Amino acid sequence: MKFLNEPMNSYYIEKYSIQSLFSFPITPFIQACQFDRGEFVYKEGSYPQYIYYLVEGKAKLYVTHENGKVSLIHFLQAPTFMGEVELLHSQQYSKAIQTVTKTICLAIPINTCKNKLLTDVTFLRHLCIFLSEKATTISAKYTQNQAYPLENRLAAFIMLSADGNFYKEKHTEVCEYLGVSYRHLLHVLAQLCKTDIIEKQSQGYIIRDRERLEQLAKLN
């Protein structure tokens, strides 16, 4: 992670102003920062120094179990907060967040702003709505795992997790996330390749027909 210097710092703060989410002047405390693709925003077991407001890019939330198995929980897309649960509970961060693409965030230092944040009714009201919507989204994902064929769910997952037209998530983690067998996942990936929707590369897959993939990804 690197903090952006002027004029880029001011550019992002002005472009993605989040002042409406707070009742006190938050801008003086904010610093714009950039995470490269694949970089950790939070590592498991660490306590965040900043609460981040993701304004550009995507990241994934996951947990590593005691047996070493990794479970994807949720994909985060702009605009969204990161580190809000730890702010509320004052506990160590037990889950990891890793970027899927290059991301731009607005960083708010917790040590400096914690008391202001936890007594700001405007911010807390917005946070309640945000947490409710996130819980609903995660619940809907599990419902979709029962209601739609893997072809449709995998298409939606590729659209969600791809960096531009490039998709490279680990098969084992995708199987866990979608609740399918490794063999079934490989079969459906092969079918998508056979119909020229995606193309296998040495490091992942290239999206060749985004329009058809988007049609498959519609889960409503």
Side-chain angles (χ1 to χ4, degrees), residues 149-159 167 174 178 184-185 188-189 192 198 213 217:
L150 179 58
E151 181 182 45
N152 302 101
R153 291 184 286 120
L154 180 57
F157 181 84
I158 292 173
M159 293 295 300
Y167 164 79
V174 179
L178 296 178
H184 193 186
L185 176 67
V188 175
L189 283 170
L192 293 177
I198 61 176
L213 190 65

Side-chain angles (χ1 to χ4, degrees), residues 118-157:
L118 294 180
T119 56
D120 187 342
V121 175
T122 301
F123 169 69
L124 293 176
R125 182 184 298 115
H126 175 81
L127 206 54
C128 287
I129 296 171
F130 167 74
L131 290 171
S132 175
E133 291 175 346
K134 185 163 73 171
T136 300
T137 299
I138 293 175
S139 297
K141 188 264 292 187
Y142 288 105
T143 302
Q144 290 167 355
N145 280 352
Q146 301 296 322
Y148 291 89
L150 179 58
E151 181 182 45
N152 302 101
R153 291 184 286 120
L154 180 57
F157 181 84

Side-chain angles (χ1 to χ4, degrees), residues 23-113:
S23 62
F24 68 94
I26 191 66
T27 303
F29 301 102
I30 293 176
Q31 279 189 284
C33 60
Q34 176 182 308
F35 290 88
D36 293 329
R37 173 182 172 180
E39 191 173 354
F40 283 97
V41 179
Y42 302 125
K43 291 186 177 181
E44 291 179 283
S46 64
Y47 183 78
Q49 295 180 333
Y50 298 91
I51 179 172
Y52 295 102
Y53 191 62
L54 174 65
V55 294
E56 291 184 9
K58 295 185 285 189
K60 58 183 178 180
L61 172 70
Y62 67 87
V63 62
T64 302
H65 302 285
E66 291 184 2
N67 62 2
K69 188 175 183 179
V70 175
S71 294
L72 283 176
I73 299 173
H74 190 44
F75 277 86
L76 308 171
Q77 300 186 85
T80 187
F81 279 109
M82 298 183 291
E84 74 287 345
V85 173
E86 292 63 43
L87 172 71
L88 295 173
H89 290 285
S90 299
Q91 64 185 15
Q92 282 196 327
Y93 204 87
S94 59
K95 299 177 181 64
I97 294 181
Q98 186 178 22
T99 60
V100 176
T101 66
K102 184 185 82 171
T103 67
I104 300 296
C105 298
L106 303 181
I108 304 171
I110 292 177
N111 286 343
T112 304
C113 299

